[in-house]
Amino acid sequence: MFITFEGGEGTGKTTLIKDVAEILSQDHDVITSREPGGSMIAEAIRDVILNPKYKGVTPYTEALLLAAARAQHLDEIILPALNENKIVLCDRYLDSSLAYQAYARDLGLEFVLNINQYATYHMPNLTFYIDLDPRVGMARISNRDKYDRLDQETVLFHQKVRDGYLKIASMYPNRIVTIDGTQTIENIKSQIIAKIRENL
Ligand code: TYD
């Protein structure tokens, strides 16, 4: 089973995935991973995408690098784990490219889906979208000492990301479960675990 977690900045996805993995590991074989990255080569591409020193990365290059990192991650990590019947929990996947590149960067769904065609053959069984006002999310990460190139975008950009996610969630209602990100992490976690168990 392939499960992805989506959302804007400061939605607590990283902690959630760690906790959910720990709970599911009690009776299943679970691996966790993240995008962009997840394998040595994909992590090298991640650095080009997110390092603020590469300010000149254009929107098309950004989208193509993300698709390349995703193809590598699929072949090296996700598909082998699924073939071994493991549960794969992934922090971000194709929906991130739809929200950030297709909507917020205005590249359009058609272009982003085309360059990610390989990933469209391997869609998650279930996706949790943690929905949160970006002003709340960005306030939560304001005490971080390091910001990547996308964290440094404006609130307006992150608002477009959220609008994008809400549209995508309404396009794929059977796959994407929208979770209210203002709830406590404990509440969010129990909703997610219940939904996964229902689908296992
Ligand atoms: P990360 O530090 O993993 O962010 P977060 O903790 O918020 O998940 O950085 C990933 C950044 O890359 C995040 O700002 C979203 C962005 N991104 C895209 O724009 N498109 C994509 O397809 C993916 C996978 C990530």
Side-chain angles (χ1 to χ4, degrees):
M1 191 172 191
F2 181 23
I3 304 169
T4 60
F5 294 76
E6 296 283 353
E9 323 298 314
T11 48
K13 282 185 286 97
T14 314
T15 316
L16 265 175
I17 293 169
K18 199 172 125 281
D19 291 357
V20 169
E22 214 171 280
I23 297 169
L24 293 177
S25 297
Q26 291 163 5
D27 38 22
H28 297 277
D29 226 347
V30 181
I31 71 149
T32 62
S33 196
R34 68 162 181 187
E35 290 205 346
S39 82
M40 193 182 73
I41 296 165
E43 289 287 332
I45 301 172
R46 175 189 173 96
D47 183 54
V48 181
I49 299 168
L50 294 180
N51 195 322
K53 82 176 177 203
Y54 301 125
K55 272 196 286 291
V57 172
T58 70
Y60 282 107
T61 306
E62 178 180 283
L64 289 160
L65 286 171
L66 285 157
R70 181 162 300 127
Q72 185 70 30
H73 184 219
L74 264 171
D75 280 339
E76 256 193 289
I77 308 289
I78 298 178
L79 296 179
L82 292 175
N83 285 335
E84 289 169 13
N85 278 325
K86 292 183 177 157
I87 297 179
V88 176
L89 303 181
C90 191
D91 189 344
R92 301 190 179 280
Y93 189 64
L94 178 60
D95 297 312
S96 283
S97 285
L98 301 182
Y100 285 78
Q101 281 67 48
Y103 283 106
R105 294 272 194 237
D106 285 321
L107 298 182
L109 272 185
E110 196 187 348
F111 172 75
V112 176
L113 284 170
N114 273 338
I115 62 171
N116 281 282
Q117 193 180 44
Y118 186 46
T120 66
Y121 298 148
H122 303 287
M123 287 306 280
N125 305 95
L126 200 55
T127 297
F128 294 100
Y129 163 55
I130 320 291
D131 180 54
L132 190 65
D133 183 328
R135 284 168 300 188
V136 177
M138 290 174 82
R140 284 188 191 166
I141 65 165
S142 63
N143 58 353
R144 279 188 194 166
D145 50 356
K146 268 176 80 181
Y147 290 99
D148 66 39
R149 197 172 53 80
L150 278 130
D151 292 335
Q152 293 173 357
E153 282 289 345
T154 59
V155 175
L156 191 70
F157 175 83
H158 291 289
Q159 190 60 55
K160 283 175 82 177
V161 170
R162 185 191 196 188
D163 293 344
Y165 269 128
L166 291 169
K167 284 199 190 107
I168 298 157
S170 67
M171 277 163 52
Y172 305 103
N174 294 331
R175 172 174 63 84
I176 303 181
V177 179
T178 301
I179 307 256
D180 172 2
T182 61
Q183 302 175 91
T184 63
I185 191 115
E186 284 308 316
N187 268 349
I188 296 180
K189 209 166 35 186
S190 52
Q191 278 173 45
I192 290 177
I193 293 289
K195 189 74 190 175
I196 293 176
R197 295 217 188 278
E198 201 183 294
N199 281 266
L200 273 172

